[in-house]
Amino acid sequence: MAKKDPYELQFLDDATLVSFADLVAASGLAMELVVELAEHGVFEPVDRGMRAQPPAEWRVTSHSLFIARRAARLRQDFGLDTSGIALALSLLERIDELERRLHDLQCQLPR
């Protein structure tokens, strides 16, 4: 029987939580880089009280898996450093948000 990918059927949303170790494993990035991205605010623990703990002990939303994979592509495709990845991710997130808002407004227009 084939081994199942633990992320294959997982929804990437704000309701499903994953460990920081799972985030690192799914991203393919080094733990140190993911920790640096967390220090740049790319990843936030679900429980704000955990912010004082080391990132390796955090739990994050599964949407963070999408962000981590996107970070890995940015690093691979463009060779960005941690600050560059954090900035690019911030800008891409903003673009995604604006596209969602534009779509919502277009849906409200009369046909």
Side-chain angles (χ1 to χ4, degrees):
M1 185 176 202
K3 192 173 183 180
K4 287 185 107 178
D5 179 359
Y7 306 105
E8 182 179 352
L9 299 175
Q10 191 170 48
F11 289 103
L12 302 180
D13 60 14
D14 290 335
T16 307
L17 302 181
V18 295
S19 70
F20 205 76
D22 287 340
L23 178 67
V24 172
S27 72
L29 296 170
M31 170 70 99
E32 296 79 21
L33 179 62
V34 180
V35 168
E36 285 180 37
L37 289 170
E39 290 170 354
H40 278 81
V42 172
F43 305 111
E44 289 288 329
V46 175
D47 179 4
R48 300 276 184 206
M50 290 295 292
R51 190 79 173 120
Q53 300 296 323
E57 297 180 20
W58 293 358
R59 295 191 54 76
V60 295
T61 65
S62 62
H63 179 71
S64 297
L65 296 172
F66 169 77
I67 296 169
R69 290 176 181 160
R70 191 179 242 187
R73 285 193 309 274
L74 288 168
R75 181 161 178 92
Q76 179 182 4
D77 294 349
F78 302 107
L80 298 176
D81 65 0
T82 308
S83 296
I85 293 171
L87 175 62
L89 288 170
S90 174
L91 294 172
L92 288 169
E93 188 68 30
R94 181 69 177 143
I95 290 169
D96 290 344
E97 178 187 335
L98 291 170
E99 286 177 343
R100 280 190 300 273
R101 290 176 65 192
L102 177 61
H103 179 264
D104 289 347
L105 291 171
Q106 286 174 332
C107 288
Q108 294 175 11
L109 290 174
R111 298 207 179 238

